C-alpha cells in the first residue's frame, strides 16, 4: 500500500470524528507489516480529558485485533497545515508500534513522511521498567 492511499483512508476515517467540543476533526490510518489497515477518528467526551485522539483509536483497534507489527501511521485533519500527533499519541505509538513512519498530510494534498523517533527523541519505554521490583501476590 502506498502512503497516498493510507492518507486517503485517514481522511475517510475523519468523517466519523466525534468532536462536538473542539469541532476539530481528525482521522488516522495505521498500516501493519502484513499490509492491513486500521482506521480511527478522535472521540471527544463531555469530560474533556477522556477524549481519545484519532491515532490512538486506530492503533488500539489494531492491537485489540491481535496486531503486533506496524509500518506507518497517517494523520489527516481539515486544516490547511499538517496536523502532527500530540505528545500522548507519540508516546503510545512508540510503545506499541516503535519507530514507524508518520505521514502528515496538508490541505493541498502534500505529504510529509517523518520517523517517529525524530518526533519523540529519548522515549520512555518498557526498557526503563526492567529493574522495577514487582510485589508478589
Ligand atoms: N486530536 C487528534 O485526534 N489527533 C491529533 O493528532 C491532535 C489532536 C484531537 C483531540 C481533540 O479531539 C481535538 O483533536 C482537538 O485537540
Amino acid at each position: 500500500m502506498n502512503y497516498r492511499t493510507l492518507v486517503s483512508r485517514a481522511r475517510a476515517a475523519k468523517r466519523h470524528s466525534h468532536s462536538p467540543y473542539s469541532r476539530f476533526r481528525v482521522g488516522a490510518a495505521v498500516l501493519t507489516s502484513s499490509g492491513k489497515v486500521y482506521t480511527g477518528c478522535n472521540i471527544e467526551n463531555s469530560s474533556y480529558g477522556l477524549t481519545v485522539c484519532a491515532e490512538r483509536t486506530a492503533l488500539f483497534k489494531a492491537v485489540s485485533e491481535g496486531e503486533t507489527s506496524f509500518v506507518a501511521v497517517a494523520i489527516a485533519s481539515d486544516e490547511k497545515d499538517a496536523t502532527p500527533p500530540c505528545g500522548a499519541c507519540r508516546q503510545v505509538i512508540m510503545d506499541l508500534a516503535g519507530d514507524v513512519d508518520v505521514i502528515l498530510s496538508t490541505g493541498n494534498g502534500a505529504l510529509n513522511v517523518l520517523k517517529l523517533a525524530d518526533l519523540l527523541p529519548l522515549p520512555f519505554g518498557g526498557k526503563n521498567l526492567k529493574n522495577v521490583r514487582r510485589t508478589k501476590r
Side-chain angles (χ1 to χ4, degrees):
M1 146 138 345
N2 68 46
Y3 285 168
R4 209 156 273 291
T5 308
L6 194 66
V7 166
S8 68
R9 295 291 301 273
R11 209 162 276 294
K14 175 164 61 70
R15 288 201 303 264
H16 301 299
S17 167
H18 177 71
S19 43
Y21 308 107
S22 73
R23 304 263 169 219
F24 191 86
R25 302 190 309 161
V26 186
V30 168
L31 178 64
T32 72
S33 300
S34 67
K36 272 185 87 171
V37 175
Y38 292 82
T39 62
C41 61
N42 56 330
I43 304 173
E44 297 186 346
N45 193 277
S46 54
S47 178
Y48 300 161
L50 301 183
T51 292
V52 180
C53 293
E55 298 89 324
R56 279 178 286 150
T57 302
L59 194 52
F60 288 163
K61 280 172 67 180
V63 170
S64 69
E65 297 292 322
E67 301 292 350
T68 56
S69 182
F70 300 93
V71 173
V73 180
I75 304 162
S77 77
D78 296 319
E79 297 298 295
K80 173 164 60 62
D81 297 331
T83 296
C86 78
C89 286
R90 293 178 196 203
Q91 172 66 27
V92 170
I93 297 166
M94 184 61 86
D95 241 54
L96 295 174
D99 184 21
V100 292
D101 287 343
V102 176
I103 301 121
L104 309 183
S105 57
T106 64
N108 68 14
L111 305 192
N112 190 5
V113 181
L114 303 158
K115 296 302 288 188
L116 182 61
D118 293 326
L119 296 175
L120 186 70
L122 197 63
F124 180 80
K127 64 185 185 305
N128 301 108
L129 298 172
K130 66 182 183 301
N131 294 322
V132 173
R133 242 186 267 257
R134 291 182 187 81
T135 49
K136 289 204 184 98
R137 342 175 177 217

